Amino acid sequence: MPSASDSLIEDIEDMVSSGDPTPHERQSARKNIMPRSRKRKDTLVYLPFLCSLIPGTQKVWMKTWGCSHNSSDGEYMAGQLAASGYKMTDDPTEADVWLLNSCTVKNPAEDHFRNSIKKAQDQQKKVVVAGCVPQAQPRMDYLKGLSIIGVQQIDRVVEVVDEAVKGHSVRLLGQKKDGGRKLGGARLDLPKIRKNPLIEIISINTGCLNACTYCKTKHARGDLASYPIEELVERARQSFQEGVCEIWLTSEDTGAYGRDIGTDLPTLLWKLVEEIPDGAMLRLGMTNPPYILEHLQEMAKVLNHPRVYAFLHVPVQSASDSVLMDMKREYCIDDFKRVVDFLKERVPGVTIATDIICGFPGETEEDFQETVELVKHYQFPSLFINQFYPRPGTPAAKMDQVPAHVKKQRTKELSQVFHSYSPYGHKVGERQHVLVTEESFDTQYYVAHNKFYEQVLVPKRAEFKGKMIEVDVYEAGKHFMKGKPVEDSTPFTPSISAPLLKGEVSGLNTDRAPIHVVSNGASFRYPSFITRTCQDSCACARALCRRSLRASCKQSSMVERTHAKAWVHFTKCDG
């Protein structure tokens, strides 16, 4: 049977019949075709303001352990986060992000830090870690996958938290340098939230010149790097303009200040004293004996100044020269005694606080008894007794350790010696001027300090807060006195302006009109300090909206973009 392919086609044109339309007719017919649109309901789509997705809108809870230097770093980080739109909260359960600012001095502090990380992870919180522990040991197993802010990178906390919110891990651990010279750290004029609006903590330098064999902080803070005097004076001036009435100077060793930049501590102190209003006070932080010895004459003069607390924290650690040598403390016990004796003679009533380590490797019973005798002789009113803990990576951790039960016994014995004397009993009946700055832990009193930075509890009356008042001491305890306000005296206000509210951000200048940007039906307001080079640029502000509400400006340098990210603040307006 023949197939269809058997039929003969002489030409391809034979496949087209005479009744078919021509190509020209086909083309003409296309002009008459009307495409039918698919009918659908029109919908307006708005991008919602989703707090869970947009960095800068979450709640952040921060916990800080350790020294006043760490506290200052925490205040700066909180201020920058709040200025960029994050809400700082005191309730860890309602927070989206936990920012944990650690201390590496002793094992218990690191244990609390590690446990907090585990607790946050169990609660599905975003975690960002900061402080000396991750700076010194960023490769610890329990830090894997976590974002880290180095101790000199706190001005970039907003960037790190932004990335953590988006599920990324960022680690900034570098040192800040200028022409190869290490800087003191982040700028001092960054926004901050003071834990106490009446007290400003200023870090005058970071790191130290020592290499103590037990110290882990050295691994984190490094060598000495001092801030210039003019920057510190300006920071103090700004603080007083914000209602602060007390300034704390802090660092790993204030006595070493300026040795890296050609100046010294007394020079800084005299410059700062010029800025202190009447009634306001300055408190000097910890200084090691070697670097204060050469300045004793000037230090005595400064501590006698009416606007400077007659208080100095000089850690001795041990009264045994053998132990001090093993610690590499770079002084002998006679050096420490010279400092104390000189200041007690030249600054009547001066308070000397000190630290002691019990059970350092190689400490004999004879060594320990020398320390006990030192405490009995000077009867320090403020004494910090620490049982030795070997910190990983330190030379002391490799030395022959004193048995744990011996360390505990020595710590207990020294504590009993400390509690055997009353440092304030002889002051009952005195009339003193005290500066009221805090609330007591039991919330029953206000806490004030006299010229010698001795704690005086006064009645909790609102008109006393932030004031210099006159009291009669009527009771004395181990760590405090109680004072009754003198009836015919008038509280004196040292602050030159009203203090900021608790939780209010310091260092924000809102004098210029803000920039308003409308996006998707919502109006957003940006302060005028978004960037230094284009603070009035609407184009820059629109870029902020487009890029997940993060500050950016391609016209600025990298430093300026970083500055913008740290300072931008968002407020949803009514349009």
Side-chain angles (χ1 to χ4, degrees), residues 283-561:
R283 192 194 80 174
L284 185 60
M286 187 271 289
T287 175
N288 284 312
Y291 306 111
I292 205 67
L293 275 169
E294 64 187 72
H295 301 309
L296 284 178
Q297 293 278 358
E298 283 300 303
M299 288 303 301
K301 294 178 183 178
V302 172
L303 294 177
N304 274 311
H305 193 283
R307 295 193 293 274
V308 179
Y309 285 119
F311 168 88
L312 200 61
H313 181 190
V314 188
V316 63
Q317 306 300 7
S318 174
S320 165
D321 285 339
S322 174
V323 174
L324 291 174
M325 184 176 296
D326 290 341
M327 290 179 173
K328 290 191 175 180
R329 290 291 288 169
E330 299 185 7
Y331 60 86
C332 63
I333 191 60
D334 286 341
D335 293 331
F336 174 81
K337 291 179 178 179
R338 181 185 167 199
V339 171
V340 177
D341 293 341
F342 184 92
L343 292 178
K344 280 182 170 291
E345 178 186 351
R346 301 298 179 89
V347 188
V350 65
T351 295
I352 301 295
T354 195
D355 302 352
I356 289 175
I357 296 175
C358 293
F360 186 81
E363 181 187 63
T364 65
E365 184 61 27
E366 182 181 356
D367 295 329
F368 174 67
Q369 289 305 320
E370 291 180 15
T371 302
V372 170
E373 290 304 315
L374 182 79
V375 174
K376 289 180 178 179
H377 176 72
Y378 286 107
Q379 295 193 349
F380 302 103
S382 181
L383 177 62
F384 303 95
I385 302 171
N386 302 290
Q387 180 180 314
F388 174 74
Y389 290 96
R391 301 297 290 133
T394 62
K398 301 176 183 177
M399 299 178 181
D400 292 335
Q401 303 296 307
V402 172
H405 72 279
V406 175
K407 290 191 289 186
K408 290 180 180 179
Q409 177 58 35
R410 291 176 182 174
T411 302
K412 181 180 179 180
E413 181 179 341
L414 192 61
S415 297
Q416 290 173 343
V417 172
F418 173 62
H419 285 94
S420 68
Y421 57 85
S422 176
Y424 306 129
H426 66 286
K427 297 203 172 190
V428 173
E430 288 186 0
R431 180 164 290 188
Q432 302 178 350
H433 285 89
V434 297
L435 180 60
V436 184
T437 55
E438 304 173 71
E439 185 179 65
S440 62
F441 286 115
D442 63 6
T443 71
Q444 301 301 307
Y445 298 91
Y446 276 151
V447 178
H449 292 91
N450 59 19
K451 162 67 178 173
F452 310 105
Y453 202 68
E454 296 164 336
Q455 184 171 277
V456 181
L457 303 180
V458 300
K460 191 175 178 181
R461 288 159 50 180
E463 65 269 25
F464 289 164
K465 192 72 175 289
K467 304 293 195 301
M468 179 75 74
I469 66 175
E470 193 173 17
V471 299
D472 290 324
V473 177
Y474 67 90
E475 183 182 334
K478 178 61 183 177
H479 302 286
F480 64 88
M481 291 172 276
K482 289 184 179 179
K484 178 182 179 181
V486 176
E487 292 183 1
D488 57 351
S489 67
T490 303
F492 178 76
T493 304
S495 301
I496 60 177
S497 62
L500 301 179
L501 299 176
K502 188 172 180 62
E504 188 173 355
V505 181
S506 160
L508 296 185
N509 180 10
T510 56
D511 292 339
R512 296 175 59 90
I515 302 168
H516 288 264
V517 180
V518 178
S519 176
N520 291 331
S523 175
F524 300 94
R525 182 176 61 197
Y526 305 87
S528 58
F529 45 76
I530 290 175
T531 66
R532 291 178 174 175
T533 59
C534 56
Q535 54 187 346
D536 291 320
S537 170
C538 288
C540 178
R542 284 194 297 271
L544 299 178
C545 264
R546 287 196 301 270
R547 298 187 61 180
S548 299
L549 299 180
R550 293 182 61 199
S552 65
C553 179
K554 294 182 179 180
Q555 298 171 343
S556 305
S557 67
M558 179 61 70
V559 173
E560 288 160 338
R561 290 202 300 275

Side-chain angles (χ1 to χ4, degrees), residues 76 186-190 200 202-203 227-228 231-232 235 238:
Y76 274 120
R187 299 197 329 270
L188 295 174
D189 61 350
L190 293 170
E200 167 71 4
I202 302 178
S203 171
Y227 284 98
E231 292 183 17
L232 295 167
R235 181 64 199 179
Q238 176 191 335

